Amino acid sequence: MKIDMDLVVDIVLKLPAIFLAMTFHEYAHALVAYKQGDDTPVKMGRLTLAPLVHIDWIGLVMFTLLGFGWAKPVRVNPSNFKNRKRGDILVSIAGPIANLLVAAVASFVLIIVLVIFNGLDQDKLEIISRILNNTIFLNIVFMILNLLPIPPLDGYQVLKTLLFRNHISGFLKFEKYSTIVLVALIFFGVMDFIIAIPAFTIYSFLVNTSKSIVSIFL
């Protein structure tokens, strides 16, 4: 069986971005939960930036090959939060915000590298650029994916925290069929449409903003 080396290289250059996306996402959940008064993430060893602690290997493979995957969820005990409702929301949005911050930092680094090291060996520059581009784009994808209001994603947890008391039966019914809904969205390509358009829009905004800011100083 012939190995597609282009595919192998593409996967290898995606892995740093995926590890960063998953690690910072889950670390942010753990950190904010701890700041809100819950030490469960600390007891579970999740308040760390060590990637292997946060990686779910099946989710890693799925994200690498299909663009949709998951990390190992951080367990929290909302009853320990100083303010349960606020704590639930802050912990839920912490992961996506962390992904956006990683994407923003990577976009600045990308532009700085392209400006300062444009005389670097082109093969090396291409590898660095692809890794940084993957870091920007895949962190944006991971952010958007987790903001979708579908269990067990972060966006659903925010929605549930805000509206559950007044719509208990509706939430319970939705949770019952949520896996089917998620699989159907992926299978019929709807997820690509939902994520791709905003992802490319945010990517362009971050890179163009970085270019504008870097051009002022360099």
Side-chain angles (χ1 to χ4, degrees):
M1 183 176 66
K2 187 177 180 180
I3 298 176
D4 187 339
M5 290 308 299
D6 288 337
L7 177 61
V8 173
V9 170
D10 184 59
I11 290 174
V12 170
L13 295 182
K14 279 182 179 179
L15 286 177
I18 296 173
F19 273 89
L20 282 172
M22 292 184 170
T23 300
F24 276 91
H25 183 97
E26 297 304 330
Y27 173 76
H29 284 317
L31 178 62
V32 174
Y34 178 67
K35 293 293 184 180
Q36 291 299 305
D38 181 27
D39 64 351
T40 304
V42 177
K43 293 178 179 178
M44 301 293 292
R46 301 300 300 276
L47 192 60
T48 175
L49 286 172
L52 296 183
V53 173
H54 302 294
I55 296 299
D56 179 294
W57 294 105
I58 296 177
L60 175 67
V61 172
M62 293 287 288
F63 197 28
T64 303
L65 298 180
L66 302 179
F68 306 108
W70 57 89
K72 192 183 300 180
V74 171
R75 292 183 183 179
V76 299
N77 184 355
S79 62
N80 291 331
F81 293 156
K82 302 166 188 175
N83 180 307
R84 179 161 184 163
K85 186 174 183 179
R86 183 182 65 186
D88 268 337
I89 293 173
L90 290 177
V91 171
S92 296
I93 65 173
I97 290 175
N99 289 129
L100 181 59
L101 291 175
V102 171
V105 170
S107 68
F108 277 106
V109 175
L110 172 65
I111 301 305
I112 290 171
V113 166
L114 293 177
V115 171
I116 295 180
F117 300 105
N118 58 357
L120 191 68
D121 177 87
Q122 289 303 303
D123 289 337
K124 293 179 180 178
L125 187 60
E126 181 183 357
I127 291 173
I128 295 172
S129 298
R130 286 180 66 179
I131 291 174
L132 289 169
N133 270 303
N134 284 334
T135 300
I136 300 167
F137 190 74
L138 292 179
N139 268 276
I140 293 171
V141 168
F142 206 55
M143 176 191 70
I144 297 172
L145 174 64
N146 278 280
L147 286 175
L148 296 179
I150 304 172
L153 302 174
D154 299 322
Y156 177 77
Q157 186 58 40
V158 172
L159 195 65
K160 185 176 179 179
T161 300
L162 293 172
L163 304 175
F164 183 73
R165 287 187 177 181
N166 296 324
H167 303 85
I168 296 175
S169 61
F171 277 100
L172 293 178
K173 288 179 182 178
F174 184 48
E175 288 177 4
K176 184 178 180 180
Y177 299 103
S178 61
T179 301
I180 297 175
V181 172
L182 188 58
V183 171
L185 290 175
I186 295 173
F187 182 79
F188 290 107
V190 179
M191 193 70 84
D192 290 329
F193 179 77
I194 293 173
I195 293 178
I197 294 177
F200 280 111
T201 301
I202 295 171
Y203 172 88
S204 297
F205 173 78
L206 290 179
V207 172
N208 289 330
T209 301
S210 298
K211 285 180 181 177
S212 299
I213 295 175
V214 170
S215 66
I216 295 174
F217 299 98
L218 297 177

